[in-house]
Every structure is written in structure tokens, then in C-alpha cells.
Amino acid sequence: MKVKVRVRGIYATALSKILYDRGVELVDVTDVIAKRLGISELRGVPADVTIKSDDEDPSNILVIGFPESVKYVVKVLIEEIPYVIVNMPEVGLYATFKTSIVGSRDNECIIDTPYGQAPIVDVRECVNGAEVYATSIRVPLKKGERMVFSNKLRVVGYYAILSRGGKVTFSNFIKNKERISELVVISSNYVRKGYSIHWRSNVDDANISEVINELETLMSKLEGIEKELLYSKPLEIVYEGERVALIILPSLSKEYLDSVRAKITPTTPYHHSLRSLDDNLKYLVDILDVIASRVEEGILRKCIKEWIKNNLTDYEVSIRHVKPDGSVISLSSGKVRNIIDDNGLCISIERGIVGKGSYDGLGIPKEVGDKALTEVCEGRWWVIHRYLSSDGRVKGMYININTPPEIIPYNNVKYVDLGVDLILRDSRVCKLVDIEEFRELVRSNSLRYDILIEVLKTLNTLLTSLCTSEG
């Protein structure tokens, strides 16, 4: 399949190398990456798919574009990068169908959709039972995010998004002021005809005659969709719009991308872990990359690890528990009580227990003076939480199955939870918990085969070493 892809963000060099080696055409390439790969920049050539870092969490990448092209690019990436976790919502951005209003809730008008009930905006009146056309304008990539639909239909092209109305808006990434002036003139003809245009970043360097031709095509497509909706069945998708995928990159995925990047430019160990932690570390990573061209990889890795270790005891350590849907739970922070560096960094974090109730999964009451001792090790597919009483007695253990943690500067521990967990009481009787969550992750194809194998191996190891019998 021939696909044109634009790549941006902190993983751009490694991802561009992977895609280029798989025969994907790279367009709108930055001059730095073009030089590294020895390819043309192809400025002005529109992309079928854009790949970029997630602004909210740079440990994720977003893949956005035309449906079949997105599916192909995601397939390539998950075939090449180990241990990734993929979320691709069923609903596409600007997916369009006919439906009915089912009522109002919390001052929002609610409709039926192929994916459940959701709010719709831009309706003149919210009349129960009224037939409306709906286009998705927000798709949920992470837990807590909602689908939102609009009664204002939209069609998507390389250069513009066209709808009915009379407004003109511009992508923030269009920097060419002369081009913006040209587009204002072009837009005026369509605004007079009752259309709204949102100009996309691809238009910045595009051939202006191609831009005008596409507007005509989009007008015809919008009119065709409107006619098709007249005779379509309720909830039947008549236009797919774009697809969006969220790909989560755990520590081992970042290590692999480090190795890919190192094939074409000097790359420090922990390059992508450090870049995804804090944008302020960019210049430090740049310096480490230069050092990587002159220092043996093993020595530089040891030095960086020493830097991390030296920082661990100075401040409290926070634990970022990332769910497979991309949402993040921040566990209470604690002090590092022990550090072992033997073929991988291991730390023990002591956290005070606050609040009443009982410990999740264990059903054991929380008591005054309790504390948690959390054991985190690089390379391990689990994290152990031991809950201790005020006299030091172990009340129970909660073993979280997760991707190997990142232990990174400024006292951050980060991993991706994999759904299933193990609990252990004093009797050494173990019990698996959250099994249904794990099954759902498997059913939805969020977890790839390589992760499933590691989860099964990890459970076998833990059940054999810690448990006398399984509850």
C-alpha cells in the first residue's frame, strides 16, 4: 500500500527510519531528518497520515489520517516496535450518520450513536425523537474522555476541512503569512456560497491550484454525503472521516527506538525516556548524544545510572501508574529506603498510608501507623507492594503486573499497568484479581502477542515462587 506520512515529535528520527525502511514515503520531512536518512524533504507534498508525540503525555504517539492509511501505518509500527500498547477507537473523527435525539441530560442534547449515547452540539432545538445528522468531532482516546458529535457535517481533505456555514479558520501550524493572505482571498468565494473552511497545515507549502481543485472536490463530496444521508438507515456510517490511534510506548519500546536512532545518529542510552520525561531535558539529552559519539555505550549508561541513583535519595519518589487506555494514576509519593544495582536498578520506596477503609483486593483494614513498602526493579514485569503494620508485620502483598518500570531522573517511576494483578495474604494463598480487565484488553487487541507472552511467564514465575496454592 502506498502511503505518504509526515512524522513529528521526539521519536521522529527513529520512527522515520522504521517507516522508510518499510518502504513508506516520508513527506514534509524536516531538514535534520532528511540529512540523517539521505532523502528529499518533499515539502508541499500532502500527508495521508501524521504521526506526532502526544502533548499530554510524550510517552505516547498519535497516528492521525485517512482510515485505511492509518490502519496500515499502525500495522507497520506494531510489527516493528516491541511491546507497544494500541488504542484505536471504533469511531473515527468526522464519522457521519443519521440518528435521532433521545432527550437531554445535564443541559446537553443526547443522541443515539453506533457506539452508545453521546451529546450533540450545533442543533437548533433538542426535540426528543427528532431526526438529525451527526458528525463526530471528538473521539475518546483515554479513559474519561467523551465522544461528542455535531449536527454540522464536515468533509476532510489534505488541505482543508469543509462544512456548511460562513467561517474561515487556520491551523496554528500555518506560518507563511503570504499563504494565509492567498487563502483568505480564495475562501471568500466559498464563504459567499455558504461554506466554512478550516485550513490544515498541509496547505502551507502546497501548490495553490491543487488546493483550489481539492475545495471543488470537497464541495461535491459534502453534497454527496448529504444526499446519501437522506436514504441511509439510522446509525449507518456513510462517511468515515479520519481515524486516530494512540500508541503507548513503555520502557522497552523506547529502548528499541534508541537502538534504531543510534543506527543513523549518535544516541545516548535513555534518550527517549529522558526526552519523554521533561522537555527541559532536551538540551541535556543533546549533550549526552554528542558524548555518545565519543564514549563507549556501556560506560555512558553506567554514568547516567549513577546520576539517577544519586538523585533518588534526595527527594520523595512519585509513581506514575499508567493504564492501558493512556490515563494516569499518580500513587502517593515516598522515600527511597534501599537501592540495589545488580544487572538492573532496584529500589524500595516507603510510603505512609493515609485514610480509612481496606486495601484494594486484599480486604484487609487500614490501620494507624501502617505503611507500604514498594519494590520497583528495572527489567521486571511486576511491582510488589507490601503493606506493613506499625510493628513491621507484613499484612499482605499486592503484586501489580506491568511493563518493566522506568526509573528516571527527578524521582519518577513509571510503568504501564497490564490489567491482571496478584494478591497474597499471610497464609501464602494467592489470588488473581482484575482478570476481566485483562481479558478485555486481549479482546480489544490493545495488548500485543509479545506482551501476552511476558504476562503469562510473569504469572508463572510469581505463582511458583510466592504461592503455595492459587485462590
Side-chain angles (χ1 to χ4, degrees):
M1 182 176 182
K2 189 173 182 180
V3 180
K4 300 187 293 293
V5 179
R6 172 176 52 202
V7 187
R8 294 290 187 268
I10 63 175
Y11 308 99
T13 297
L15 295 177
S16 296
K17 167 69 172 166
I18 289 170
L19 293 168
Y20 179 70
D21 287 350
R22 285 289 297 264
V24 173
E25 184 177 13
L26 301 175
V27 300
D28 195 18
V29 185
T30 64
D31 55 352
V32 171
I33 292 176
K35 289 175 184 176
R36 286 173 178 169
L37 293 175
I39 61 176
S40 170
E41 295 179 8
L42 290 182
R43 293 293 172 87
V45 178
D48 301 304
V49 174
T50 294
I51 303 173
K52 60 182 181 179
S53 308
D54 179 8
D55 291 337
E56 292 183 6
D57 186 348
S59 288
N60 308 331
I61 55 175
L62 295 169
V63 185
I64 308 166
F66 299 121
E68 293 307 313
S69 298
V70 166
K71 291 175 188 176
Y72 177 76
V73 170
V74 169
K75 178 176 178 291
V76 170
L77 293 178
I78 64 178
E79 286 174 353
E80 295 292 334
I81 308 172
Y83 305 117
V84 297
I85 297 164
V86 180
N87 292 306
M88 187 184 297
E90 288 183 82
V91 56
L93 192 59
Y94 310 122
T96 302
F97 54 89
K98 178 167 63 182
T99 185
S100 297
I101 294 172
V102 296
S104 60
R105 187 185 309 137
D106 299 327
N107 296 318
E108 293 181 320
C109 194
I110 306 297
I111 58 170
D112 272 328
T113 83
Y115 322 99
Q117 293 186 349
I120 186 170
V121 298
D122 302 321
V123 288
R124 292 181 180 178
E125 289 184 283
C126 187
V127 179
N128 197 5
E131 184 180 271
V132 292
Y133 300 152
T135 291
S136 60
I137 57 173
R138 187 184 302 164
V139 296
L141 287 170
K142 302 172 185 175
K143 186 176 182 180
E145 295 181 345
R146 302 191 308 161
M147 295 182 292
V148 179
F149 293 81
S150 171
N151 190 219
K152 186 177 179 181
L153 306 186
R154 295 162 171 83
V155 288
V156 185
Y158 287 113
Y159 308 116
I161 300 173
L162 190 74
S163 60
R164 299 286 182 183
K167 291 175 61 178
V168 179
T169 56
F170 296 87
S171 164
N172 292 331
F173 296 101
I174 301 175
K175 305 299 184 184
N176 187 333
K177 293 183 179 180
E178 290 183 5
R179 176 48 54 92
I180 291 175
S181 298
E182 283 182 291
L183 296 175
V184 169
V185 173
I186 293 169
S187 302
S188 62
N189 295 327
Y190 295 90
V191 169
R192 284 196 293 269
K193 294 176 183 178
Y195 292 99
S196 287
I197 302 172
H198 174 72
W199 293 107
R200 312 187 78 184
S201 57
N202 274 334
V203 80
D204 211 7
D205 296 306
N207 181 293
I208 204 67
S209 62
E210 289 184 12
V211 173
I212 294 171
N213 288 338
E214 182 181 79
L215 283 178
E216 295 297 319
T217 300
L218 292 177
M219 282 175 55
S220 297
K221 184 180 287 188
L222 181 59
E223 290 170 4
I225 291 169
E226 289 168 341
K227 290 177 182 177
E228 193 173 350
L229 283 167
L230 290 172
Y231 305 103
S232 66
K233 297 176 182 177
L235 306 186
E236 176 188 355
I237 303 295
V238 300
Y239 176 62
E240 283 193 80
E242 293 188 313
R243 292 300 296 269
V244 183
L246 177 79
I247 300 180
I248 300 173
L249 301 173
S251 60
L252 295 182
S253 303
K254 293 175 187 174
E255 285 183 22
Y256 175 78
L257 292 175
D258 288 348
S259 69
V260 172
R261 189 181 188 277
K263 292 176 182 177
I264 54 174
T265 188
T267 300
T268 181
Y270 298 98
H271 175 100
H272 290 105
S273 283
L274 294 172
R275 285 300 314 275
S276 63
L277 170 66
D278 190 338
D279 198 51
N280 292 324
L281 290 175
K282 176 184 183 303
Y283 300 107
L284 171 62
V285 177
D286 288 344
I287 294 170
L288 290 173
D289 284 343
V290 172
I291 295 173
S293 66
R294 294 166 172 80
V295 175
E296 182 185 332
E297 190 268 348
I299 294 174
L300 183 53
R301 181 179 294 275
K302 185 176 180 180
C303 291
I304 295 172
K305 192 175 286 189
E306 284 297 320
W307 171 49
I308 294 171
K309 285 164 56 179
N310 291 339
N311 275 277
L312 284 172
T313 54
D314 292 337
Y315 307 96
E316 290 198 334
V317 173
S318 62
I319 301 175
R320 300 190 72 202
H321 178 99
V322 182
K323 301 295 288 183
D325 61 13
S327 58
V328 179
I329 299 171
S330 295
L331 305 186
S332 58
S333 56
K335 292 287 291 183
V336 172
R337 295 306 183 197
N338 191 33
I339 301 175
I340 300 174
D341 187 5
D342 184 14
N343 295 322
L345 196 60
C346 279
I347 61 174
S348 293
I349 306 167
E350 184 179 302
R351 299 181 291 125
I353 301 298
V354 295
K356 300 179 180 179
S358 59
Y359 295 106
D360 287 345
L362 292 165
I364 297 171
K366 296 178 181 179
E367 297 175 301
V368 175
D370 281 2
K371 58 186 176 183
L373 198 61
T374 297
E375 185 180 286
V376 181
C377 295
E378 288 181 326
R380 281 190 190 171
W381 287 78
W382 68 90
V383 167
I384 297 178
H385 305 281
R386 291 182 174 87
Y387 296 106
L388 283 68
S389 63
S390 56
D391 60 4
R393 176 178 57 86
V394 176
K395 301 174 72 172
M397 293 167 57
Y398 194 104
I399 305 165
N400 197 84
I401 312 300
N402 46 257
T403 60
E406 293 175 269
I407 303 173
I408 37 188
Y410 307 126
N411 304 332
N412 281 274
V413 169
K414 186 176 185 179
Y415 55 78
V416 183
D417 175 57
L418 297 175
V420 64
D421 299 314
L422 191 66
I423 59 171
L424 177 65
R425 297 185 178 89
D426 288 337
S427 60
R428 287 179 58 83
V429 174
C430 292
K431 181 180 179 181
L432 293 174
V433 294
D434 295 338
I435 299 174
E436 188 52 42
E437 181 183 350
F438 178 70
R439 286 174 178 158
E440 181 55 36
L441 291 170
V442 174
R443 281 194 292 264
S444 66
N445 289 320
S446 291
L447 302 184
R448 316 312 300 171
Y449 182 74
D450 51 4
I451 290 182
L452 298 181
I453 292 298
E454 294 297 337
V455 169
L456 294 176
K457 286 165 56 179
T458 297
L459 288 174
N460 182 62
T461 298
L462 293 172
L463 289 169
T464 300
S465 62
L466 296 177
C467 312
T468 55
S469 61
E470 185 179 346

Coordinates of all heavy atoms in Angstrom, one line a residue, residues 43-71:
R43 N 8.8 18.9 0.7 CA 7.9 19.9 1.2 C 6.8 20.2 0.2 O 7.0 20.2 -1.0 CB 8.7 21.2 1.5 CG 9.7 21.1 2.6 CD 9.0 20.9 3.9 NE 9.9 20.6 5.0 CZ 10.5 21.5 5.7 NH1 10.4 22.8 5.5 NH2 11.4 21.1 6.7
G44 N 5.6 20.5 0.7 CA 4.5 20.8 -0.2 C 3.7 19.5 -0.6 O 2.6 19.7 -1.2
V45 N 4.3 18.3 -0.4 CA 3.5 17.1 -0.7 C 2.6 16.8 0.5 O 3.1 16.6 1.7 CB 4.5 15.9 -1.0 CG1 3.7 14.7 -1.2 CG2 5.4 16.3 -2.1
P46 N 1.3 16.6 0.3 CA 0.4 16.4 1.5 C 0.6 15.0 2.0 O 0.9 14.0 1.3 CB -0.9 16.6 0.9 CG -0.8 16.2 -0.6 CD 0.6 16.7 -0.9
A47 N 0.4 14.8 3.3 CA 0.5 13.5 4.0 C -0.9 12.9 4.1 O -1.9 13.5 4.4 CB 1.1 13.7 5.4
D48 N -0.9 11.6 4.0 CA -2.1 10.8 4.2 C -2.3 10.6 5.8 O -3.4 10.4 6.3 CB -2.0 9.4 3.6 CG -1.9 9.5 2.1 OD1 -2.8 10.1 1.5 OD2 -0.9 8.9 1.5
V49 N -1.1 10.5 6.4 CA -1.1 10.2 7.9 C 0.0 11.1 8.5 O 1.0 11.4 8.0 CB -0.7 8.8 8.1 CG1 -0.5 8.5 9.6 CG2 -1.7 7.8 7.6
T50 N -0.4 11.6 9.7 CA 0.6 12.4 10.5 C 0.8 11.6 11.8 O -0.1 11.1 12.5 CB 0.0 13.8 10.9 OG1 -0.1 14.6 9.7 CG2 1.0 14.5 11.8
I51 N 2.1 11.4 12.2 CA 2.5 10.8 13.4 C 3.2 11.9 14.3 O 4.0 12.6 13.8 CB 3.4 9.7 13.2 CG1 2.8 8.6 12.3 CG2 3.8 9.0 14.5 CD1 3.8 7.5 11.9
K52 N 2.7 12.0 15.5 CA 3.4 13.0 16.4 C 3.3 12.6 17.8 O 2.5 11.7 18.2 CB 2.6 14.4 16.2 CG 1.2 14.3 16.6 CD 0.5 15.7 16.4 CE -1.0 15.7 16.7 NZ -1.6 17.0 16.5
S53 N 4.1 13.2 18.7 CA 4.1 12.9 20.1 C 2.8 13.5 20.7 O 2.3 14.5 20.3 CB 5.3 13.5 20.8 OG 6.5 13.2 20.2
D54 N 2.3 12.8 21.7 CA 1.1 13.2 22.4 C 1.5 14.4 23.4 O 2.4 14.2 24.2 CB 0.5 12.1 23.2 CG -0.7 12.4 24.1 OD1 -1.2 13.6 23.9 OD2 -1.1 11.6 24.9
D55 N 0.9 15.6 23.2 CA 1.3 16.7 24.0 C 1.0 16.5 25.5 O 1.8 17.0 26.4 CB 0.5 18.0 23.6 CG 0.9 18.5 22.2 OD1 2.1 18.2 21.8 OD2 0.1 19.1 21.5
E56 N 0.0 15.7 25.8 CA -0.3 15.5 27.2 C 0.6 14.5 27.9 O 0.9 14.6 29.1 CB -1.8 15.0 27.4 CG -2.8 16.0 27.0 CD -4.2 15.5 27.2 OE1 -4.4 14.4 27.7 OE2 -5.2 16.2 26.8
D57 N 1.1 13.5 27.1 CA 2.0 12.5 27.7 C 2.9 12.1 26.5 O 2.6 11.3 25.7 CB 1.3 11.3 28.2 CG 2.2 10.3 28.9 OD1 3.5 10.5 28.8 OD2 1.7 9.4 29.6
P58 N 4.1 12.6 26.5 CA 5.1 12.3 25.4 C 5.5 10.9 25.4 O 6.3 10.5 24.4 CB 6.3 13.2 25.7 CG 5.7 14.3 26.5 CD 4.7 13.7 27.4
S59 N 5.1 10.0 26.3 CA 5.4 8.6 26.2 C 4.4 7.9 25.2 O 4.5 6.7 24.9 CB 5.2 7.9 27.6 OG 6.3 8.2 28.4
N60 N 3.5 8.7 24.7 CA 2.5 8.2 23.7 C 2.8 8.9 22.3 O 3.3 10.0 22.3 CB 1.1 8.5 24.1 CG 0.7 8.1 25.5 OD1 1.3 7.1 26.0 ND2 -0.2 8.7 26.1
I61 N 2.4 8.2 21.3 CA 2.4 8.8 20.0 C 1.0 8.7 19.4 O 0.2 7.8 19.7 CB 3.4 8.2 19.0 CG1 3.2 6.7 18.8 CG2 4.8 8.5 19.4 CD1 4.1 6.1 17.8
L62 N 0.6 9.7 18.6 CA -0.7 9.8 18.0 C -0.5 9.6 16.5 O 0.4 10.1 15.9 CB -1.4 11.1 18.2 CG -1.8 11.5 19.6 CD1 -2.2 12.9 19.8 CD2 -2.9 10.6 20.1
V63 N -1.4 8.8 15.9 CA -1.4 8.5 14.5 C -2.8 8.9 13.9 O -3.8 8.4 14.3 CB -1.2 7.0 14.2 CG1 -1.1 6.8 12.7 CG2 0.1 6.5 14.9
I64 N -2.8 9.9 13.0 CA -4.0 10.6 12.6 C -4.0 10.7 11.1 O -3.0 11.0 10.5 CB -4.1 12.0 13.2 CG1 -4.0 12.0 14.7 CG2 -5.5 12.6 12.8 CD1 -3.8 13.4 15.3
G65 N -5.1 10.3 10.4 CA -5.2 10.4 9.0 C -6.3 9.7 8.4 O -7.3 9.3 9.0
F66 N -6.2 9.5 7.1 CA -7.3 8.8 6.3 C -7.3 7.3 6.8 O -6.3 6.7 7.1 CB -7.1 8.9 4.8 CG -7.1 10.3 4.4 CD1 -6.0 10.8 3.7 CD2 -8.2 11.1 4.6 CE1 -6.0 12.2 3.3 CE2 -8.2 12.4 4.1 CZ -7.1 12.9 3.5
P67 N -8.5 6.7 7.0 CA -8.7 5.5 7.7 C -7.8 4.3 7.2 O -7.1 3.7 8.1 CB -10.2 5.1 7.4 CG -10.8 6.5 7.3 CD -9.8 7.3 6.6
E68 N -7.8 4.0 6.0 CA -7.0 2.8 5.6 C -5.5 3.1 5.7 O -4.8 2.2 6.0 CB -7.3 2.4 4.1 CG -8.8 1.9 3.9 CD -9.1 0.7 4.9 OE1 -8.2 -0.2 5.0 OE2 -10.2 0.8 5.5
S69 N -5.1 4.3 5.5 CA -3.7 4.7 5.6 C -3.3 4.5 7.1 O -2.2 4.1 7.4 CB -3.5 6.1 5.1 OG -3.7 6.1 3.7
V70 N -4.1 5.0 8.0 CA -3.8 4.9 9.5 C -3.7 3.4 9.9 O -2.7 3.0 10.6 CB -4.9 5.6 10.3 CG1 -4.8 5.2 11.8 CG2 -4.8 7.1 10.2
K71 N -4.6 2.6 9.4 CA -4.6 1.2 9.8 C -3.3 0.6 9.3 O -2.6 -0.2 10.0 CB -5.7 0.4 9.2 CG -7.1 0.8 9.8 CD -8.2 0.1 9.0 CE -9.6 0.6 9.5 NZ -10.7 0.0 8.7

